């Protein structure tokens, strides 16, 4: 089962996002975990590789089950681990083979083109306390079919979805 | 890839553990995630099934990569998600087909017989703020070969291992 770790960097009210060439959708830098890595190590390594900069104050903000469904059948299932960092060491690339790196105001997460499940999890990572959990159901073309979300923090729990 | 969610209940300075029949080792109630579940849903469902009681104030405390190695080769890799709850609704079973449920003082996590990696993650869940990450390397007989641990909290990060 595929495991993906990504990392949203938020500094001075701005987030560092990668614009992917195919659809022009924005994502947080990230990629596939390697065998034996922890999710934390994977998120930091992938962020470094994609940006050439070092994220600081890295913390887990979301754990998601991703279900890809076609014609009512599940054709793939994978896990997404979303981290947040609050400081950066170094100057990120402006463009890589993976896409273009851009700074945007945090509020633009509401409107930038992206997978709708990513919007849910990046908005949580940027603005909420605690950890979010959930399942996203997508078509193979990443049209969101359904999301089922929970969250908790050290002291308080919330459920909705 | 197997995904296991477990849950440590801590109430009035005591933890609810299950003593497994085979080795007499203690574990936190838990089990395998089902397809499409979130890690949070899986931890709560498994705890309910194994104890007949409802955990409250459930929060994620650890995400671990488990590597089973034999003769220098990795023979299995799976993920463990450890949650903590601070309150319980209902009265837990005393004994089930899975094992015997027992209350123990939190400090007994230092000394009760258990897999050494479980000791690391249950002690963290019981007494530390934030989330712990890491990789545990075990033999097929669950002798701990190596652990590599990180942790973070909303504001502060620590690394060691």
């Amino acid at each position: 089962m595929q495991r993906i770790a990504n990392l949203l960097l938020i500094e001075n009210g701005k987030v560092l996002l990668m614009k992917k060439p195919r659809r022009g959708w924005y994502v947080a830098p990230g990629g596939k975990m390697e065998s034996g890595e922890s999710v934390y190590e994977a998120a930091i390594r992938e962020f470094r590789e994609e940006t050439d900069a070092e994220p600081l104050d890295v913390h887990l903000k979301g754990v998601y089950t991703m279900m890809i469904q076609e014609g009512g059948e599940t054709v793939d299932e994978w896990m997404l681990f979303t981290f947040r960092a609050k400081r950066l060491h170094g100057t990120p690339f402006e463009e890589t083979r993976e896409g273009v790196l851009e700074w945007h105001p945090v509020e633009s997460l509401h409107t930038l083109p992206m997978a709708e499940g990513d919007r849910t999890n990046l908005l949580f990572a940027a603005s909420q306390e605690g950890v979010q959990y959930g399942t996203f159901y997508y078509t193979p073309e990443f049209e969101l079919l359904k999301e089922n979300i929970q969250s908790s923090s050290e002291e308080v729990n919330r459920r909705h979805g």
Side-chain angles (χ1 to χ4, degrees), chain A:
Chain A
M1 175 174 294
Q2 199 70 257
R3 298 164 296 174
I4 306 286
N6 64 5
L7 195 157
L8 181 66
L9 177 81
I10 310 157
E11 205 177 36
N12 303 321
K14 295 195 168 179
V15 292
L16 182 64
L17 298 173
M18 180 174 281
K19 186 176 186 173
K20 301 289 280 185
R22 188 173 158 213
R23 291 187 174 89
W25 284 7
Y26 288 85
V27 299
K32 294 177 192 172
M33 273 176 71
E34 293 174 1
S35 177
E37 279 186 317
S38 75
V39 292
Y40 180 87
E41 292 169 329
I44 292 172
R45 177 188 51 74
E46 283 286 346
F47 186 92
R48 278 190 198 128
E49 288 176 9
E50 296 206 332
T51 68
D52 201 35
E54 175 80 14
L56 303 173
D57 301 340
V58 173
H59 184 60
L60 180 64
K61 297 298 294 178
V63 180
Y64 306 97
T65 303
M66 309 296 285
M67 304 290 284
I68 312 300
Q69 296 191 321
E70 193 167 21
E73 299 272 306
T74 299
V75 295
D76 198 11
E77 178 169 0
W78 47 281
M79 298 295 298
L80 173 65
F81 302 91
T82 298
F83 287 77
R84 173 275 284 145
K86 289 192 170 171
R87 289 186 299 139
L88 191 67
H89 235 45
T91 305
F93 291 134
E94 295 186 355
E95 185 160 3
T96 77
R97 269 187 287 182
E98 304 284 329
V100 180
L101 286 160
E102 297 177 0
W103 292 95
H104 287 275
V106 173
E107 306 77 47
S108 68
L109 291 172
H110 287 283
T111 50
L112 287 170
M114 62 179 68
E116 286 305 315
D118 287 4
R119 196 182 308 286
T120 298
N121 82 47
L122 296 180
L123 281 168
F124 184 90
S127 54
Q128 303 289 313
E129 276 235 348
V131 181
Q132 190 179 62
Y133 320 95
T135 306
F136 293 111
Y137 296 85
Y138 277 107
T139 68
E141 291 302 303
F142 272 85
E143 183 195 340
L144 185 66
L145 297 169
K146 188 171 75 166
E147 62 179 43
N148 184 15
I149 300 293
Q150 309 93 42
S151 67
S152 68
S153 66
E154 292 276 346
E155 295 303 328
V156 185
N157 289 268
R158 294 171 292 275
R159 267 194 239 185
H160 52 97

